[in-house]
Structure formats: structure tokens, C-alpha cells
């Protein structure tokens, strides 16, 4: 049986780990032929190193990052932990990225707030985690344009809750200067946590509505499986 190791960053906030478990459960329901395991890079257990150590020699395993961006943890941390565990035959799948399915989930989250695609007064602010890698931030910034495609919104922009500019407050001001008379925040996060709580606090004080994170949506699970299958096919070809 093939093994999908759903690997998340980890957090002190229990809601984050709960979301990882929910995504894993969704994947397991969709694919009965897979063994789905959970691993964390820090803060939570089991660690990725411990999970890899328990796989055994005969398993065909793929590390599937439950990460949106190909930043430090995907590029450096996961490969380092795989090497540390001595699992040279284990394949690492790609991150979820700015997949259209995830953008559709974000659009659905906005719909839960009653956001209309035909509202010409609206400014939509996509808020994400920033990276020290400029190229990673540039890819993340494409989400706003994808989200706004086909709508009549006044404007859409990206802000970073951590790291680089623009900040949430600066981007909100920019949207207003571009003609938006009301704003809404679309969080480009997989789960609620301490960072999303800080954004929510800002939004509440600023009188801005904020949608839910992507969560354990079926399309999130589908995107994970898509990355898993691509890595598996690449492994077989090698």
C-alpha cells in the first residue's frame, strides 16, 4: 500500500493541528487505497523524522506538504528532515501553490459573507504569510488577480500578515485610494491560528469583514492528492 504523509508546519494553536487531521480524514475517505499519515515539522507531534522512521523499508511513501507556498519549509526543512531520517527513497510532492481549486474555495468563503461578484464598490484584500523569498511572494500575489477575475469589484490586492510589505493596513489604504468604498479580507491560510487571529483583530477594529480560512475543504484534499499522484508518477518514471 502506498503511503501519503501529510506534512504540516505545526503550531501551538490546536486549531491548526485539528485542521490537518480533518484534511487527512478527507483524503482517506476519498482514497481508500492509500495509507494516510500525519507529520509535523515543529510544535506538534508526531514529527516528520519519527513518522519516516516508522515507515519500514518496503513502503512507497510520498511526503505531501500541506503548505501553500514553496518557501523555506518546502525547499529546505523537509528535504533536510528526510535526509536526517535516512529515507533517501522517499519522494517529496510539491506544495499546494496558487491552485485554481484553492482560489475557488477562497471565493466560496467570501460567498459565505454574502460577497457578490457584481459589487463594484468592493475592495478585496487577500492576506497571506510572507516569505523572505521575493519570488515566493510574487507567486502568492497572483491569488488576488485570480480571485478577482470575472468580477466587477473595484479592486483587489495582496497583503502579508508577516514579513514583507505591503502590510494589511497599507494595502487596505491602497484599495480605498483605488476606489473601493467597502473592504473584505480573504485570508490565504489553510487554518485559523494566532496569525489569522491578529488579522481578525485588525479587521474588527477597522470595521472590515473577514472570511474563513480555506479549511478542510474537499478541493484542498483534491489538490493534495493531485500533487501526490504527480510525485508518484515521477517516482515510477525514475
Amino acid at each position: 500500500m502506498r503511503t501519503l504523509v501529510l506534512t504540516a508546519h505545526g503550531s501551538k494553536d490546536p486549531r491548526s493541528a485539528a485542521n490537518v487531521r480533518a484534511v487527512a480524514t478527507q483524503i482517506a475517505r476519498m482514497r481508500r487505497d492509500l495509507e494516510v499519515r500525519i507529520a509535523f515539522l515543529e510544535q506538534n507531534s508526531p514529527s516528520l523524522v519519527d513518522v519516516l522512521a516508522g515507515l519500514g523499508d518496503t513502503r512507497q511513501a510520498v511526503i505531501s506538504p500541506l503548505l501553500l507556498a514553496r518557501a523555506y519549509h518546502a525547499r529546505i526543512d523537509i528535504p533536510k528532515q528526510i535526509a536526517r531520517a535516512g529515507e533517501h527513497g522517499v519522494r517529496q510532492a510539491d506544495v499546494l501553490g496558487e491552485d485554481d481549486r484553492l482560489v475557488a474555495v477562497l471565493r466560496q468563503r467570501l460567498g459565505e459573507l454574502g460577497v457578490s461578484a457584481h459589487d463594484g464598490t468592493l475592495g478585496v484584500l487577500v492576506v497571506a504569510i510572507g516569505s523572505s523569498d521575493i519570488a515566493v511572494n510574487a507567486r502568492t500575489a497572483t491569488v488576488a488577480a485570480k480571485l478577482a477575475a470575472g468580477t466587477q469589484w473595484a479592486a483587489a490586492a495582496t497583503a502579508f500578515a508577516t514579513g514583507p510589505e505591503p502590510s494589511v493596513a497599507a494595502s487596505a489604504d491602497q484599495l480605498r485610494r483605488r476606489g473601493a468604498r467597502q473592504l473584505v479580507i480573504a485570508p490565504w491560510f489553510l487554518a485559523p491560528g494566532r496569525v489569522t487571529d491578529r488579522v481578525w483583530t485588525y479587521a474588527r477594529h477597522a470595521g472590515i469583514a473577514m472570511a474563513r480560512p480555506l479549511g478542510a475543504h474537499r478541493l484542498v484534499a483534491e489538490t493534495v492528492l493531485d500533487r501526490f499522484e504527480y510525485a508518484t508518477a515521477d517516482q515510477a518514471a525514475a
Side-chain angles (χ1 to χ4, degrees), residues 5-9 37-41 48 63-67 78:
V5 183
L6 187 67
T7 305
H9 178 277
R37 296 197 183 192
I38 293 171
F40 297 94
L41 298 172
L48 177 57
I63 310 303
S64 295
L66 191 60
L67 302 169
I78 291 177

Side-chain angles (χ1 to χ4, degrees), residues 63-146:
I63 310 303
S64 295
L66 191 60
L67 302 169
L68 290 172
R70 196 173 184 273
Y72 169 81
H73 292 289
R75 291 185 291 104
I76 298 172
D77 197 12
I78 291 177
K80 185 184 296 184
Q81 294 201 35
I82 292 173
R84 178 183 164 194
E87 294 290 344
H88 303 294
V90 171
R91 181 72 54 161
Q92 178 182 339
D94 201 359
V95 298
L96 305 184
E98 302 74 40
D99 194 282
D100 289 344
R101 287 165 290 198
L102 303 186
V103 175
V105 176
L106 192 57
R107 191 173 293 116
Q108 181 177 320
R109 296 295 182 235
L110 289 175
E112 294 169 357
L113 296 179
V115 169
S116 169
H118 307 293
D119 187 349
T121 70
L122 187 66
V124 177
L125 183 55
V126 176
V127 179
I129 291 287
S131 170
S132 59
D133 189 320
I134 296 175
V136 170
N137 295 330
R139 287 192 292 272
T140 300
T142 64
V143 173
K146 287 186 174 187

Side-chain angles (χ1 to χ4, degrees), residues 9-224:
H9 178 277
S11 170
K12 292 181 180 178
D13 191 312
R15 293 172 295 175
S16 178
N19 187 70
V20 177
R21 289 191 291 270
V23 174
T25 298
Q26 179 75 269
I27 293 170
R29 287 173 179 165
M30 294 166 65
R31 290 291 301 272
R32 302 287 184 180
D33 59 315
L34 296 179
E35 177 187 26
V36 181
R37 296 197 183 192
I38 293 171
F40 297 94
L41 298 172
E42 55 184 66
Q43 306 283 358
N44 302 109
S45 60
S47 69
L48 177 57
V49 172
D50 287 344
V51 170
L52 290 174
L55 288 177
D57 297 331
T58 60
R59 293 185 182 272
Q60 183 182 4
V62 172
I63 310 303
S64 295
L66 191 60
L67 302 169
L68 290 172
R70 196 173 184 273
Y72 169 81
H73 292 289
R75 291 185 291 104
I76 298 172
D77 197 12
I78 291 177
K80 185 184 296 184
Q81 294 201 35
I82 292 173
R84 178 183 164 194
E87 294 290 344
H88 303 294
V90 171
R91 181 72 54 161
Q92 178 182 339
D94 201 359
V95 298
L96 305 184
E98 302 74 40
D99 194 282
D100 289 344
R101 287 165 290 198
L102 303 186
V103 175
V105 176
L106 192 57
R107 191 173 293 116
Q108 181 177 320
R109 296 295 182 235
L110 289 175
E112 294 169 357
L113 296 179
V115 169
S116 169
H118 307 293
D119 187 349
T121 70
L122 187 66
V124 177
L125 183 55
V126 176
V127 179
I129 291 287
S131 170
S132 59
D133 189 320
I134 296 175
V136 170
N137 295 330
R139 287 192 292 272
T140 300
T142 64
V143 173
K146 287 186 174 187
L147 187 64
T151 73
Q152 297 173 8
W153 297 336
T158 301
F160 296 105
T162 62
E165 295 291 338
S167 67
V168 177
S171 288
D173 289 341
Q174 180 194 55
L175 287 174
R176 293 186 182 99
R177 289 195 297 270
R178 291 168 61 185
R181 295 200 295 274
Q182 58 179 331
L183 304 181
V184 64
I185 290 177
W188 187 243
F189 290 81
L190 286 165
R194 296 185 176 188
V195 177
T196 55
D197 283 352
R198 290 203 302 268
V199 177
W200 182 84
T201 298
Y202 163 81
R204 180 168 57 86
H205 289 158
I208 301 173
M210 178 171 166
R212 291 192 295 146
L214 302 179
H217 196 283
R218 181 182 178 87
L219 291 178
V220 173
E222 282 188 11
T223 307
V224 172

Side-chain angles (χ1 to χ4, degrees), residues 215-235:
H217 196 283
R218 181 182 178 87
L219 291 178
V220 173
E222 282 188 11
T223 307
V224 172
L225 285 169
D226 180 78
R227 305 294 185 265
F228 170 84
E229 291 297 349
Y230 187 87
T232 302
D234 190 38
Q235 189 177 45

